């Protein structure tokens, strides 16, 4: 492993100083489940690593007037077991966290790391897209909020600028009676990235339900499928579910990789979409 300098700032001002060092390759560290293997294998070669998980608020989970605020350094294991995250409808995020990796990985991996890696197969992303979360970004010039749907701009690319940090996400409050489900298809039951991931959510509205549907691992970024949502908003009978499945199929533009072929992914996305929708209907019942 190539040597690098390590800093653990206690305040954001100090963190920004290190992150903006001129002529240096600087990487932030939270859970390090990506950083350690990438540096070990020589794919990333930082001059400086800045440990950000001890910064104020990064490990907090708090309910506010706006909704649920989750710090970027919160670990997946904490999301699974925290009582606020497990309260309906936010437990969709707990389901996604439980689907990620294995127990050892979940004990280290953080929510912010899962999002900032910007893998199309990130398990937390489809859940947070259906929850319409906001990315909370802080940099030397101040703070800004970005809808998570706009946070991802390509495979392993986000809107974060040099020196900026994702400090957390804000999940808006949803009506009582909202239900969500995350369903993941992978080669193994645990410890593997998604071949297809689908998050579905339904909220009571005007005597019916407003649906949201998001897909992971089948496009360059995690995506919402508004056409499928519209089909389910009109009703969630067998015909509507079938239309939603076809819309999810049409929204895909997957690739071939070591986990699955593009054709297999696209063939399976409809079936996983059906499972997610049926899972929501079971919860609503």
């Amino acid at each position: 492993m190539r040597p690098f300098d390590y800093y653990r700032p206690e305040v954001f001002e100090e963190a920004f100083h290190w992150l903006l060092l001129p002529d240096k390759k600087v990487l932030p560290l939270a859970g390090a489940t990506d950083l350690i293997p990438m540096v070990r294998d020589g794919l990333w070669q930082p001059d400086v690593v800045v440990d950000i998980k001890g910064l104020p608020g990064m490990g907090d989970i708090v309910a506010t007037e706006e909704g649920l605020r989750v710090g970027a350094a919160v670990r997946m294991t904490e999301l699974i077991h925290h009582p606020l995250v497990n309260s309906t409808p936010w437990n969709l995020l707990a389901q996604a966290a439980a689907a990620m990796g294995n127990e050892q990985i979940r004990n280290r991996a953080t929510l912010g790391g899962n999002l900032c890696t910007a893998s199309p197969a990130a398990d937390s992303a489809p859940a947070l897209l259906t929850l319409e979360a906001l990315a909370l970004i802080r940099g030397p010039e101040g703070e800004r909020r970005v809808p998570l749907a706009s946070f991802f701009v390509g495979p392993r690319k986000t809107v974060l600028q040099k020196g900026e940090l994702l400090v957390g996400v804000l999940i808006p409050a949803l009506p009582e009676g909202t239900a969500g489900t995350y369903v993941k298809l992978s080669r193994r039951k645990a410890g593997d990235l998604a071949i297809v991931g689908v998050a579905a959510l339904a909220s009571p509205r005007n005597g019916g339900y407003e649906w949201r549907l998001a897909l992971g691992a089948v496009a360059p970024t995690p995506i919402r499928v508004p056409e499928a949502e519209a089909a389910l908003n009109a009703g969630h009978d067998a015909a509507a579910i079938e239309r939603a499945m076809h819309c999810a199929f049409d929204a895909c533009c997957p690739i071939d990789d070591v986990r699955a072929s593009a054709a297999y992914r696209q063939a399976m996305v409809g079936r996983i979409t059906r499972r997610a929708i049926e899972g929501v209907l079971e919860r609503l019942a």
Side-chain angles (χ1 to χ4, degrees), residues 16-105:
F16 298 141
H17 168 77
W18 298 123
L19 290 167
L20 290 170
L21 285 174
D23 304 319
K24 299 287 186 180
K25 176 66 174 177
V26 184
L27 294 178
L29 179 154
T33 56
D34 280 316
L35 187 144
I36 289 176
M38 296 295 265
V39 172
R40 178 198 62 204
D41 295 342
L43 299 174
W44 296 350
Q45 297 186 354
D47 301 302
V48 176
V49 169
V50 182
D51 190 335
I52 62 172
K53 59 181 177 288
L55 293 172
M58 294 288 278
D60 294 348
I61 301 175
V62 294
T64 71
E65 292 183 355
E66 296 179 283
L68 184 69
R69 184 180 178 119
V70 183
V74 171
R75 294 169 296 144
M76 293 297 166
T77 295
E78 295 174 279
L79 292 174
I80 296 167
H81 298 294
H82 197 282
L84 280 176
V85 183
N86 272 289
S87 62
T88 302
W90 295 325
N91 66 8
L92 179 56
L93 179 56
Q95 295 176 48
M100 180 184 173
N102 52 40
E103 186 172 3
Q104 291 89 342
I105 292 295

Side-chain angles (χ1 to χ4, degrees), residues 249-266:
F249 178 91
D250 292 339
C252 291
C253 51
I255 61 170
D256 297 318
D257 64 15
V258 296
R259 291 184 297 280
S261 67
Y264 179 72
R265 279 192 165 92
Q266 195 153 21

